[in-house]
Amino acid sequence: MRHTLAVLVENNPGVLARVAGLFSRRGYNIDSLAVGRTENPAVSRMTIVVEGDDRVLEQVTKQLHKLIDVIKINDVTVDEYVDRELVLIKVSADSGQRGEIMQIADIFRARIVDLGRRTITLECTGNDGKINAFEESLRPYGIKELVRTGKIAMLRGNRFTNLNTNGNREDEQ
Amino acid sequence: MVKKSGAQILVDTLQEQGVDTIFGFPGGSVLPIYDALYDADIRHILTRHEQGAAHAADGYARASGRPGVCLATSGPGATNLVTGIANAYMDSVPLVAFTGQVTTGLLGRDSFQEADITGITMPVTKHNYIVKDTRELAGVIREAFYIATTGRPGPVLVDIPKDVASNEIEYQDPGPVNLPGYHPQPVPPAEQLNRAAAAILRSERPVIYAGGGVVSSGAHRELRQLAEMLLAPVATTLMGLGSFPGDHPLSLGMPGMHGSKYANYAFCECDLLIAVGVRFDDRVTGKIDCFAPRAKILHIDIDPAEIGKNVRVDIPLVGDVRQVLAALIERLEAKLPGAWQEKIDTWKKEYPVTYEENGHLKPQQVIREIYRVTGGQARITTEVGQHQMWAAHYYTYTRPRSFISSGGLGTMGYGFPAAIGVQVACPGETVFDIAGDGSIQMNIQELATAVNYELPVNVAIMNNGFLGMVRQWQELFYNRRYAYTELVNPDFVRLAEAYGAAGRRVTTAREVAPALEEAVAAQKPVMLDFVIEREENVLPFVPPGESLDHML
């Protein structure tokens, strides 16, 4: 099963190497990894999608906790959450195909961000399933280049994964 | 405000942390640090190789319970520490390693004697730092000692570029350590302790499996109290030897691949395994699917990641071993002896750990004699191999921190520099490095250190002219094809003498005791070359991949 971990880390140099090194030497598989700063500049948030059964996930979480720079870990998958990923896709498109591609973009609420003589570059955000479907729809036109950001995720409603809250269950007012 | 150089800040912070000894080796990028050390009230032991410095600091830490400190220059100095750091990491030894580094302006340019030592040691340190600003140095050093010595102990490395050490700043105290991501949990919740106590009281055939965590948390008294209360036999791992008196009627000796038969049978037959400060190493468990098949497993450890890492655990108790044991004892009551205790005693009588005498000098005999001559009061270090297992079986350890050996990493060349560190930590005590003729040559240059500082370390080489443990495996699993395991050795006696130490060769059983007595009496380093039976094997032996009840 796939789990999405929200990992808060101290914004220190080398922290990404520590996390990546841990996954590789212990033989855990990362499906995707996205890192960026949070509302607190001293803290970064990594969203790690990891594949594994409960035992693997427990070990991943505990081993991550052993890293001094890791402050807090939440498995958002055990709760209600929203997740998003952004993709940029450059497809071959001569003038005759542009209309069709723009229709597909419309359906997926994607945006055209660049237009070349023989290519269109599209931007789309959504969850895994939507991004995959979008990619499949464009494949017949010839995907020249594709880049995904990796997933980011957040708990729904009045629940938080930041430093000042204690786990998922924030008191609902 | 006071103006201080980084090097001065380092020295002052070390003293604030109570550091009295550093094991090190100077070089270009640590010149400012050495210059500050020259006037400091800290003893510096100059080893002859940086690996020796790391192992000596490790031995010092294991013997004293205080963090060991080593220091090396950038590049090769730093990389030479790596084996010692990895060794301390595997055995959870509190060690703080300082390395010099090229100046910040030269970082990342493949400069002379530059090595990315924080990158290199990331997987073998509990944490590491490169300090790029002198103002951060004092805070980092405090954190380093705090991390190394609390929770599950381990090595921390601090890399200091030369300019960070030589720059002068207006010194400001960094205040107490504040690490938002680091909070070792000292005691588990009460209901979990109650569950554990109930399981213990219900069990009819309990066995205690005690390891290095008992030693590092200082829980030997509590362990003994628990065992005597429950009349539970205690198996101590290689790392746990001495945490329970080896001469106690409840002692099972060591379990595992080279464990006693009765310890292994007890593991196979028990209904509750009380695992205390251990990590279920493959050398202990044998075939993991067949490990303790009839038992519920109760696991006490300070490191949550150890719970369920290798075996299924029924009742985890995360916390400091000493505090957890004390809390458990409060919840328990004494038990009466029964069939289980009888069964254990029968096994102990039926399958004693023993060897055959045949007129040749036997290593087991030599080690028994070291025990006798030192009254069981010596601090023993070992290298890695057959002699290490014989030292584990045939010397009886009755107090913690008296057996000091490379368990997890299995580092040949550990024992001698470690013995130097032990002797520095315990002046006036008798220290023996029980060695093999292969292992001793991996750090034999430290003879110069022992002589230099008049450290009366004794080395007892079990010389069989082989890399004996590898030869044993070749004999048993590779059709006696002794591929590159036979050694052509130097004359160890003359070698010792060339270094200014004493040397003596022993070839017969009746010379053993006088040679040992003379060595212990001599207040100088002594190297004893015991020429032993060449193809003696370590027994019992659970072949790799077999379950614990399949012993040779």
Side-chain angles (χ1 to χ4, degrees), chain A residues 24-44:
Chain A
S24 80
R25 76 175 171 273
R26 299 251 176 214
Y28 310 137
N29 292 321
I30 299 184
D31 273 17
S32 88
L33 171 71
V35 200
R37 283 221 286 209
T38 62
E39 71 281 3
N40 177 349
V43 175
S44 291

Side-chain angles (χ1 to χ4, degrees), chain A residues 102-113:
Chain A
M102 283 159 81
Q103 269 186 348
I104 292 170
D106 239 13
I107 294 166
F108 285 94
R109 283 186 237 159
R111 298 201 308 146
I112 291 160
V113 289

Side-chain angles (χ1 to χ4, degrees), chain A residues 88-164:
Chain A
L88 291 174
I89 304 181
K90 186 179 285 184
V91 288
S92 310
D94 52 40
S95 45
Q97 293 169 312
R98 280 184 187 170
E100 285 177 43
I101 292 171
M102 283 159 81
Q103 269 186 348
I104 292 170
D106 239 13
I107 294 166
F108 285 94
R109 283 186 237 159
R111 298 201 308 146
I112 291 160
V113 289
D114 188 48
L115 207 56
R117 264 202 299 156
R118 290 194 194 84
T119 62
I120 296 185
T121 305
L122 302 116
E123 166 202 311
C124 182
T125 62
N127 62 18
D128 237 19
K130 177 180 164 187
I131 302 279
N132 291 342
F134 184 53
E135 184 186 332
E136 281 314 307
S137 315
L138 292 174
R139 195 174 293 285
Y141 302 93
I143 294 176
K144 291 288 184 200
E145 201 177 335
L146 181 149
V147 55
R148 295 170 77 144
T149 55
K151 189 198 273 192
I152 56 170
M154 198 175 263
L155 292 169
R156 283 186 184 275
N158 208 16
R159 288 172 187 163
F160 309 94
T161 308
N162 56 20
L163 270 193
N164 308 319

Side-chain angles (χ1 to χ4, degrees), chain A residues 10 12-14 17-18 25-26 55 58-59 62-63 65-72 163, chain B residues 89 122-123 125-129 147 152 179-182 303-310:
Chain A
E10 290 207 63
N12 288 338
R18 287 182 206 280
R25 76 175 171 273
R26 299 251 176 214
R55 238 195 104 243
E58 188 185 327
Q59 265 299 307
K62 285 171 164 178
Q63 294 293 347
H65 260 305
K66 282 179 76 167
L67 299 178
I68 309 287
D69 287 335
V70 169
I71 307 169
K72 192 170 166 183
L163 270 193
Chain B
Y89 184 69
M122 219 170 251
T125 49
K126 189 169 169 187
H127 195 52
N128 65 20
Y129 298 88
I147 292 168
R152 178 178 183 172
L179 293 163
Y182 181 69
D303 182 357
E306 285 304 332
I307 309 293
K309 186 184 76 178
N310 293 344

Side-chain angles (χ1 to χ4, degrees), chain B residues 98-119:
Chain B
F98 292 95
T99 47
Q101 182 54 279
V102 300
T103 56
T104 46
L106 287 174
L107 278 170
R109 300 177 186 217
D110 303 324
S111 312
F112 177 66
Q113 292 194 330
E114 180 182 3
D116 172 16
I117 197 62
T118 46

